[in-house]
Amino acid sequence: MVKTLSLEELYEQQIKPRPLSERLRLLAMIAQDLAAETKEEEEPKHSLMELEGLGAEIWQGIDAQEYVNELRKEWDHRP
């Protein structure tokens, strides 16, 4: 019966004794592998255009130019 090594045992027996250059290469390989898997798992990107029209009901009946003019008046009177 073949005994399965724990990650700690695997590291101590097989990885740690290797030269630094090999351990660094292994680390780079693992990082690349994880980065590739992460990209596959990412949710699809969204476009800013998906927000078009969101909250439009808030501005119903409000004239944009009048609104901007009121804001500018407020700014002029602030200390």
Side-chain angles (χ1 to χ4, degrees):
M1 180 177 203
V2 177
K3 179 187 174 207
T4 303
L5 297 175
S6 70
L7 287 177
E8 290 79 13
E9 292 170 329
L10 178 65
Y11 176 76
E12 288 295 326
Q13 293 175 17
Q14 300 293 324
I15 311 288
K16 195 173 180 179
R18 302 229 174 242
L20 177 63
S21 61
E22 286 186 17
R23 289 184 286 154
L24 288 172
R25 202 170 104 217
L26 177 61
L27 183 61
M29 289 169 59
I30 292 170
Q32 282 179 330
D33 184 48
L34 290 174
E37 284 187 37
T38 302
K39 285 182 182 178
E40 292 171 6
E41 293 175 0
E42 284 181 5
E43 291 183 23
K45 303 266 185 231
H46 293 280
S47 168
L48 186 59
M49 295 307 295
E50 291 178 40
L51 300 175
E52 182 180 8
L54 189 63
E57 68 279 357
I58 297 170
W59 300 101
Q60 291 284 343
I62 298 175
D63 180 78
Q65 190 58 57
E66 285 181 34
Y67 180 77
V68 170
N69 291 341
E70 286 297 316
L71 283 177
R72 288 180 179 156
K73 282 181 196 175
E74 290 177 19
W75 295 337
D76 290 340
H77 298 330
R78 287 189 179 166

